[in-house]
Amino acid sequence: MPFLLTFGQDHTPPSDSSSVAFLPAVSYTTDVGLAAGGIFNRISYGTIQPFEQNLALTALASTKGLIGFNLFLDQPNTFLNKDRLSVNLVTNRFLEDQYYGVYNTAQLRLNKQNNEYLYQSLTFKVNLEYLFSFKEWLRYDRNKSPNNSNVRSGKAIDRSTSPGLLWLTSIDYHYKTPWDNDENSFIMRDKPVGIQGAQGLWLGLGGMVDARSHEFYPTKGWYSKLLFKTTVPYLSTDFTQQLLSSEWRFYTSFHFLLDVVLAQRLYYEWSSTNQQLPYWAYPELGGEDYLRGFATYRFLANQVWATNTELRTWLIDIEQLGIRLGGTLFADLGSFTHQSFSTDEWNNNLSYTLGFGGLASFFSPDFILRADMGFSKEGIGIYFSTGILF
């Protein structure tokens, strides 16, 4: 959501310098409304590329009753050479959160003030991800301090130069509870698991291969990520669950009047079946990430898949001012099922959106503003955000 300025491979600041800024944050989505706030951003540079540390603190409030706080830390070379730690903490109060039921296949008209699907909620989430190369770990000289410049002078995992397999470990904690809701709201009538609040702690293990040409605006290459997560019994968890997620991205470029990037993403997520699973822990489709034009959390089920196709191009490039303006065309497709492998359910629940958007880049090729408008059979979704979608 926020306008967050970061620098990538194309930016080479002086060694041992840092950038500190307080930036305005403005965004809009159909689900959240107009949000405004501020960001404190500190990027420390040195001999490591793309940076030694990126720290951002964000506070936002929206016209639909969202008050949120976010802390984000991206730390390359955390413990040894060529590893990368990211920490993301989110807490918010939302007066117009959305609940449409678990496995709700009925068609709705979501742009017509369906207030019965709105409810008030409190959320707290923490995500830690640690990337490392097993090959580098074996070759690492443990007699040297990680602070030694001879150890830390090499490139960190900057993804475009690390096409080999990277191991991924993760820890996720999520607490969410509805509060003080009207008895006529859909969530109070449906009373799903989690209506009184629930928490979950997951441990994850997986792998990632990143062979994209660039981290922020790839024009060729591919990316793959596979992650398995499981709750730990009796450890800050009110339920048991196993999750498997897989994502593939492909990029290629061609010239047709302009330089055009064709980007494709495939996504799949599976959850184990558990009658005590809270509604917010199910795999979901909808909103800005996978089915633009459908509401966020619109489809909740044990299995979901989605594919996104985008054509991207820059229309105006004023190199002297560091300004670029461009556009996108996109198509999203996805489906969901509550059974193990039900071809009929996959076919019957198939949904799609079509849309277009705009791109703008200022001062740095890595700082990209994005606007998307998606059209579906249930309404229109509008999203103003930062960075390309994938």
Side-chain angles (χ1 to χ4, degrees):
M1 289 178 59
F3 294 175
L4 176 60
L5 177 60
T6 59
F7 298 94
Q9 297 92 325
D10 294 339
H11 183 83
T12 308
S15 178
D16 300 324
S17 67
S18 63
S19 172
V20 179
F22 181 81
L23 307 172
V26 180
S27 69
Y28 175 85
T29 71
T30 303
D31 302 315
V32 173
L34 179 64
I39 301 172
F40 172 80
N41 183 215
R42 183 180 188 276
I43 304 176
S44 300
Y45 303 101
T47 56
I48 300 173
Q49 297 294 329
F51 45 73
E52 285 191 343
Q53 186 185 79
N54 184 2
L55 173 67
L57 302 174
T58 307
L60 287 172
S62 85
T63 55
K64 292 192 175 184
L66 172 68
I67 298 178
F69 173 81
N70 175 240
L71 181 150
F72 175 75
L73 173 67
D74 192 354
Q75 178 75 62
N77 286 23
T78 311
F79 304 112
L80 50 89
N81 200 30
K82 290 194 176 180
D83 66 352
R84 193 163 178 173
L85 173 70
S86 66
V87 180
N88 197 27
L89 182 152
V90 177
T91 179
N92 64 55
R93 181 216 69 176
F94 197 7
L95 299 183
E96 295 191 17
D97 208 343
Q98 300 165 82
Y99 173 74
Y100 301 98
V102 177
Y103 195 69
N104 183 358
T105 61
Q107 183 173 332
L108 306 176
R109 294 299 299 174
L110 301 179
N111 288 98
K112 292 190 175 182
Q113 300 298 318
N114 287 345
N115 293 329
E116 65 175 310
Y117 295 109
L118 305 180
Y119 72 101
Q120 299 181 161
S121 69
L122 294 172
T123 301
F124 178 76
K125 294 194 291 186
V126 179
N127 169 254
L128 287 83
E129 285 194 353
Y130 180 61
L131 277 170
F132 67 97
S133 168
F134 192 63
K135 182 188 300 184
E136 291 293 330
W137 185 81
L138 289 176
R139 293 164 56 182
Y140 179 68
D141 188 348
R142 286 159 181 77
N143 294 322
K144 295 182 179 180
S145 168
N147 296 319
N148 188 318
S149 60
N150 292 328
V151 178
R152 297 176 63 89
S153 61
K155 274 184 174 290
I157 297 175
D158 63 5
R159 304 169 192 268
S160 67
T161 59
S162 303
L165 175 64
L166 301 175
W167 291 95
L168 169 65
T169 59
S170 68
I171 301 176
D172 290 270
Y173 175 79
H174 190 169
Y175 170 79
K176 186 166 186 172
T177 181
W179 61 279
D180 195 23
N181 286 290
D182 191 297
E183 291 297 328
N184 293 322
S185 63
F186 182 64
I187 193 170
M188 297 302 292
R189 301 198 314 266
D190 195 45
K191 296 190 181 303
V193 177
I195 190 67
Q196 302 297 329
Q199 63 178 345
L201 178 69
W202 295 262
L203 301 181
L205 178 64
M208 185 185 79
V209 177
D210 193 340
R212 295 174 295 176
S213 59
H214 196 273
E215 182 169 340
F216 298 99
Y217 188 81
T219 58
K220 59 182 179 180
W222 61 282
Y223 167 102
S224 177
K225 180 179 178 180
L226 180 68
L227 180 63
F228 176 78
K229 298 194 299 185
T230 182
T231 56
V232 181
Y234 312 111
L235 186 61
S236 299
T237 303
D238 297 330
F239 53 92
T240 59
Q241 183 188 35
Q242 289 75 48
L243 284 167
L244 178 67
S245 62
S246 177
E247 183 173 353
W248 296 80
R249 306 178 186 179
F250 306 91
Y251 307 88
T252 188
S253 300
F254 61 91
H255 185 83
F256 180 74
L257 302 178
L258 296 166
D259 291 328
V260 179
V261 177
L262 172 61
Q264 179 78 40
R265 175 173 69 172
L266 301 173
Y267 177 78
Y268 171 78
E269 186 172 10
W270 167 88
S271 169
S272 59
T273 303
N274 186 340
Q275 297 298 323
Q276 298 304 312
L277 200 63
Y279 64 95
W280 49 260
Y282 282 91
E284 56 96 6
L285 287 180
E288 181 180 5
D289 290 332
Y290 297 109
L291 281 178
R292 290 162 282 189
F294 288 93
T296 303
Y297 313 125
R298 174 61 185 89
F299 304 113
L300 303 175
N302 287 327
Q303 292 186 81
V304 302
W305 68 264
T307 178
N308 308 96
T309 304
E310 286 197 358
L311 293 173
R312 306 165 181 161
T313 187
W314 293 109
L315 303 171
I316 299 174
D317 190 347
I318 308 175
E319 187 173 352
Q320 298 84 347
L321 300 178
I323 297 176
R324 293 186 298 172
L325 302 176
T328 63
L329 296 173
F330 64 82
D332 304 333
L333 185 69
S335 187
F336 57 97
T337 179
H338 230 36
Q339 300 182 23
S340 297
F341 294 97
S342 173
T343 304
D344 290 338
E345 283 196 0
W346 288 125
N347 293 334
N348 294 336
N349 298 331
L350 195 64
S351 299
Y352 68 91
T353 65
L354 301 174
F356 61 90
L359 299 173
S361 177
F362 300 99
F363 313 120
S364 167
D366 301 335
F367 180 52
I368 298 174
L369 304 180
R370 174 171 54 88
D372 290 334
M373 180 176 287
F375 300 86
S376 74
K377 62 184 179 181
E378 293 191 347
I380 301 173
I382 301 174
Y383 314 94
F384 290 90
S385 187
T386 55
I388 57 173
L389 183 61
F390 60 93

